[in-house]
Amino acid sequence: MLLTFSHQIADGKGALRALEDLVSILNGATPMAHDVPAAQETLLAALPNVATAAPPEPGEDSTGGTNGTAAYLRPFDGTPPLVESGALSVDDTCALVERARAEGCTVQSALGAAAARALFEATGQDQVRINIPIDLRPVVGGDTDVVVRFTATMVTLQNQTTDFWNLARTTTAQLRTARHAAAAGAAALAAADVPTPDAAEDAMLAATAADIEITNLGTTEQAPSAKSVWGPTMTTGVAGEQILGVVTHAGALRMVSTTRTPSSGLTHQIQAQLSTALH
């Protein structure tokens, strides 16, 4: 079963809520009806004491630093993306959660470290930029809504130390700082003057320019009858995009990537990095 959404309708967690409801309906349940949720922009505008800053310019990341070559959209030629999947065993997933906690970081941070190490080894580049969505539901509510409730931040990791857990702790520190400013950053984007489609495209490219995007939906226990859950998968049309979607279901962390880079193999390299860090 494949569910497809426009990103204007739902983010990854919103899509997961829809999947959980669908599985519940197929099992004979009747989920509770919900009102149509308010737009994220409306909720952000109503938050008290949210100072806003100017949104990033093209070529500038969400922390105000340069993010390398400006992103651009690839010509639409109908080429389908390459989709790759990989998964940790239940035992390795449990070990990853416990080890990350012991190292003072998170599974999200470990995924960032694994992606950075894989890209350092594959490309030899000096730094890796990781675009990571930040869930705004803790700020604006709507945990069970099928809706958009996120902003994005850029984590930048340098190829000065390749120690896995040092990279993970660096990722944790950057994400902690970004989460504190998430609502203000999202409010700035919502309030920005975007007068033309070209300006909207430039704003999107400035916000998403990265070597890889990692969306981790966390753990779902609401679809126990499903054999496995994978996602989210996404394509933006940005040239060179690498997008990794992660969800933990039935105790196993599952990854699926989309890219148009031939023979990527990045998902399997990230899986190998995670496994090596645990053994």
Side-chain angles (χ1 to χ4, degrees), residues 195-214:
T196 67
D198 286 344
E201 180 179 303
D202 288 343
M204 185 274 288
L205 291 172
T208 59
D211 298 296
I212 186 170
E213 176 176 324
I214 303 177

Side-chain angles (χ1 to χ4, degrees), residues 2-3 5 83-84 230-235 243-246 256-258:
L2 176 67
L3 300 184
F5 296 83
V83 180
E84 299 176 337
W230 299 83
T233 59
M234 185 177 73
T235 181
I243 300 177
L244 183 73
V246 184
V256 58
S257 69
T258 49

Side-chain angles (χ1 to χ4, degrees), residues 180-195:
H180 285 309
L189 289 172
D193 181 20
V194 185

Side-chain angles (χ1 to χ4, degrees), residues 138-183:
V139 179
V140 299
D143 188 58
T144 60
D145 290 336
V146 178
V147 72
V148 173
R149 294 283 185 265
F150 82 100
T151 189
T153 192
M154 194 77 68
V155 167
T156 302
L157 299 176
Q158 306 295 330
N159 193 5
Q160 296 172 344
T161 173
T162 55
D163 178 77
F164 184 95
W165 293 107
N166 280 342
L167 287 171
R169 282 187 286 272
T170 299
T171 303
T172 297
Q174 292 187 35
L175 284 176
R176 184 179 296 118
T177 299
R179 287 193 179 98
H180 285 309

Side-chain angles (χ1 to χ4, degrees), residues 61-77:
D61 66 25
S62 57
T63 64
T66 58
N67 59 18
T69 305
Y72 63 94
L73 294 177
R74 64 185 302 279
F76 180 76
D77 57 8

Side-chain angles (χ1 to χ4, degrees), residues 115-129 157 159 211-212 240 242 261 264 266 269 273:
R117 281 173 57 96
L119 287 167
F120 288 150
E121 293 179 5
T123 67
Q125 59 199 72
D126 293 330
Q127 69 175 18
V128 165
R129 302 156 302 156
L157 299 176
N159 193 5
D211 298 296
I212 186 170
Q242 298 270 4
T261 301
S264 168
L266 187 59
Q269 295 164 24
Q273 291 287 347

